[in-house]
Amino acid sequence: MGMTIGNVGLLNMVNATEESIRDIEKIENVGLVIYAKETAPLLSKLTINNIGQTLETSHQARIVNGRLLIDSAFLEAMLEPCTFLVNGLVIVAKDVTVEQLKQAACQIVVHGSVYAPPALKGAVNLLLKTVSGSVETYTDHLPQIETTSIQLTNSYLKALPPGQLLIVNGKLELAPDLDMALFSDRIARLTINGKALLYATQEQGFYEKASVVGKVAIVPSGFQVTTGTLRLNEHSIKRFRGSSLYTTKPLLLQKGISREQLQTAFTAIHSTSYIVCHEELEDLVYERLDRFETDVLSYSGAFRFIEKENWQQEDVEWLEANTTIVVDDTLTITEKIAENILNEKIGTLDLFGSVYTADAAQKALLQSKLRTPEGILVDQSNQSARNRMGNIGELTL
């Protein structure tokens, strides 16, 4: 059987052949497919569940992933006809003239948005062969682009000139002490392709400037934000004293935390993820939740939180009997293990990620242990399961 591939940002089939696609059984989702006239028939031979956009281009097209800045020097250097295919953003600099755009030899295909000075907004279309997004304007300064997760702090804002256009492709978090007057002065517009996290007191000022393609999370007033998985024991929980906790990641309460310690630590918990706690604390955890949707996973004996692990028989044998297993990402069991050992050691399985078993019997047994079936169980003895790749930014066939 062939390869199954997860999500692909850009699938380049410009030079694809029958041989290069032969081993691809299925692709889950593709943001953009580019192909040449000669390779178009091959696209119909691939099984792709979802395609965002397809573009036909030539073999000579130059592909840019990310940002292409077009300034006067760029246009002067483009003396021969050429095509750029941009998967991202195109920014036209202020030193470009309308005459240069009229005389430009290049054409641009854009899977994304274009930013240009107001005086060039119309003329820039002379360059654009196709654009999937919008043509936006900026005034004083070139747009500031962030492609990773950032926290917007007062120091960051002070480094910007007034009236800045800020584009974030990723996650943006507003610092809790962010000066919103400074924010209003330095940010002319804020475009977010991804996620934003801010506090309730910042909401009005944020929406006066921001447009978001993605999700916005609002932290209630008075809550303390944690951004990673929080593991607390009877010692580390003491750093919280009457806190209101906001988290988007798992909260793990180790065995040994007393009811009094939990009551002292947290007055409220807002979690968009899940909470693991001993069964003696379960009622108190529920009392402190401020949203109904949060899952509380209790355990009676031991629990094991798994992000990425590979298990052999020895790993299972060392578990305490009736252990609660919480798989947040990936657990791979690499060999056959006696059914009675698996049955004895694993009590409950809360599955949010993926478990790969060595055979169908393991899969069936773990299936019977499932309490939270949010993830997937995969039998590795199935050939198609072994030939699987995750997400890929750009795939050239």
Side-chain angles (χ1 to χ4, degrees), residues 352-372:
F352 297 90
S354 304
V355 172
Y356 296 93
T357 63
D359 54 39
Q362 281 183 4
K363 179 182 176 183
L365 190 145
L366 293 179
Q367 188 82 41
S368 70
K369 305 281 186 178
L370 266 179
R371 178 174 61 176
T372 311

Side-chain angles (χ1 to χ4, degrees), residues 310-313 332-336 356-358 362 380:
N310 292 331
W311 283 4
Q312 298 177 330
Q313 175 145 339
T332 303
I333 302 177
T334 59
E335 60 185 24
K336 293 186 177 182
Y356 296 93
T357 63
Q362 281 183 4
Q380 288 191 110

